[in-house]
């Protein structure tokens, strides 16, 4: 993907901040538990980096004893996060410039955003703010296309929906970065689901970067295909469960 398009996609989410908050899925507690397991306790100071509107932050603040800080570069996304989670310390900043002291957090979690980072600059910053023995984890939600009807749906949304920089094909991230301060800590997938309708699915797709940078005509062409595909699957009903997989990749601070 050309760098100019990558940057355009990375900066596109603020224009749909409220829609993003309303329609993007959250993350299963099982994935978060696994990500933080090396810490040995549910508490600690956890940074939600590139926190967006707080989809992951909301799950973190429910953990007993956790002290959560959120960092997000987009002002519109950050405004929604502060509105919905006023108890959270929410700061303007980026993966390449984290506004926290050295060795000040036990864990950094990144939901649906690590692929937008500059790996070299972000790696240095992550190594700086994480204490030795701390955890870095990225989480990505995907439609579970091991289900035949979901695989057909993915084919129908044929615009470039790949997540750049995470793996061949963009749908199965493995290692997040190569940095002398980090060791690989494993990778797991966790299943969950969302109850959707055709229109709520279209609304969710409308918050993806490919849709946000497409022309209205391009978006509507894809959305019409989605509606037509679902109308041709009467077994799903007006409401259906969308199966999801949360891919979680973990690294450990040396």
């Amino acid at each position: 993907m050309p760098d100019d398009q990558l940057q355009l996609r990375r900066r596109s989410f603020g224009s749909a901040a409220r829609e993003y908050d309303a329609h993007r899925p959250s993350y299963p507690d099982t994935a978060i538990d696994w990500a933080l397991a090396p810490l040995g306790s549910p508490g600690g100071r956890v940074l939600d980096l590139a926190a967006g509107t707080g989809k992951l932050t909301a799950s973190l603040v429910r953990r007993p004893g956790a002290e959560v800080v959120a960092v997000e570069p987009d002002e519109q996304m950050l405004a929604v996060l502060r509105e919905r989670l006023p108890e959270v310390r929410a700061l303007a900043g980026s993966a390449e410039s984290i506004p926290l002291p050295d060795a000040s957090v036990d864990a950094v979690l990144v939901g649906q955003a690590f692929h937008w980072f500059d790996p070299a600059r972000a790696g240095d910053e992550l190594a700086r703010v994480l204490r030795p023995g701390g955890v870095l984890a990225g989480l990505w939600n995907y439609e579970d296309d091991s289900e035949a009807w979901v695989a057909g749906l993915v084919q129908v949304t044929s615009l470039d929906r790949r997540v750049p920089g995470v793996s061949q094909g963009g749908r199965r991230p493995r290692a997040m970065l190569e940095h002398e301060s980090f060791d690989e800590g494993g990778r797991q997938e966790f299943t969950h689901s969302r109850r959707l309708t055709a229109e709520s699915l279209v609304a969710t797709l409308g918050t993806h970067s490919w849709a946000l940078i497409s022309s209205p005509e391009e978006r509507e062409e894809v959305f019409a295909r989605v509606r037509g595909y679902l109308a041709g699957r009467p077994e799903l009903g007006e409401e259906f469960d969308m199966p999801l997989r949360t891919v979680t990749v973990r690294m450990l601070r040396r």
Side-chain angles (χ1 to χ4, degrees):
M1 181 182 298
D3 187 63
D4 57 346
Q5 188 183 39
L6 177 65
Q7 296 305 319
L8 181 62
R9 289 178 67 162
R10 183 169 72 171
R11 294 191 298 265
S12 65
F13 297 103
S15 64
R18 293 198 179 277
E19 293 82 0
Y20 189 105
D21 189 55
H23 297 293
R24 283 296 186 105
S26 58
Y27 302 88
D29 287 338
T30 50
I32 299 170
D33 290 344
W34 181 84
L36 297 176
L39 298 181
S41 69
R45 194 173 195 211
V46 182
L47 167 61
D48 183 3
L49 182 59
T53 64
K55 304 298 289 188
L56 178 57
T57 318
S59 296
L60 293 172
V61 298
R62 294 196 300 266
R63 297 178 66 82
E67 178 188 353
V68 181
V69 59
V71 169
E72 165 58 37
D74 186 279
E75 292 182 1
Q76 294 167 287
M77 301 284 272
L78 189 61
V80 175
L81 189 157
R82 287 170 170 162
E83 179 182 306
R84 72 190 295 254
L85 296 169
E87 72 277 20
V88 173
R89 184 186 178 203
L91 306 173
S94 68
E96 297 78 19
S97 181
I98 302 172
L100 293 175
D102 295 357
S104 59
V105 296
D106 300 296
V108 178
L109 268 60
V110 183
Q112 216 77 21
F114 205 99
H115 47 277
W116 302 119
F117 297 171
D118 178 316
R121 293 169 59 203
D124 290 342
E125 276 291 87
L126 289 161
R128 180 183 67 79
V129 301
L130 266 168
R131 67 161 175 81
V135 170
L136 167 64
L139 298 88
W140 288 265
N141 280 319
Y142 295 109
E143 302 94 345
D144 186 355
D145 56 9
S146 66
E147 294 274 353
W149 77 265
V150 179
L153 178 66
V154 171
Q155 286 293 110
V156 163
T157 59
S158 58
L159 284 178
D160 185 1
R161 301 177 59 206
R162 291 174 298 171
V163 177
V166 292
S167 70
Q168 183 178 6
R171 294 184 59 79
R172 295 293 181 262
R174 293 188 180 276
M176 292 184 290
L177 57 82
E178 294 182 4
H179 194 282
E180 61 185 7
S181 297
F182 290 94
D183 293 316
E184 292 190 22
R187 174 187 182 278
Q188 291 286 339
E189 295 191 13
F190 302 86
T191 58
H192 56 125
S193 65
R194 301 176 68 205
R195 193 73 174 163
L196 294 175
T197 66
E199 291 311 309
S200 61
L201 175 58
V202 165
T204 301
L205 293 173
T207 69
H208 287 235
S209 61
W210 67 263
L212 294 171
I213 69 167
S214 298
S215 69
E217 294 77 16
E218 288 175 320
R219 284 194 299 272
E220 287 307 315
E221 180 185 350
V222 175
F223 296 162
R225 292 204 301 267
V226 169
R227 292 184 181 103
Y229 177 80
L230 294 174
R233 303 296 301 249
E235 72 276 14
L236 295 177
E238 291 187 7
E239 291 189 353
F240 52 90
D241 289 321
M242 171 63 75
L244 299 172
R245 287 186 179 271
T246 298
V247 179
T248 307
V249 181
R250 188 172 64 193
M251 303 192 80
L252 305 176
R253 176 72 165 88
R254 292 177 181 169

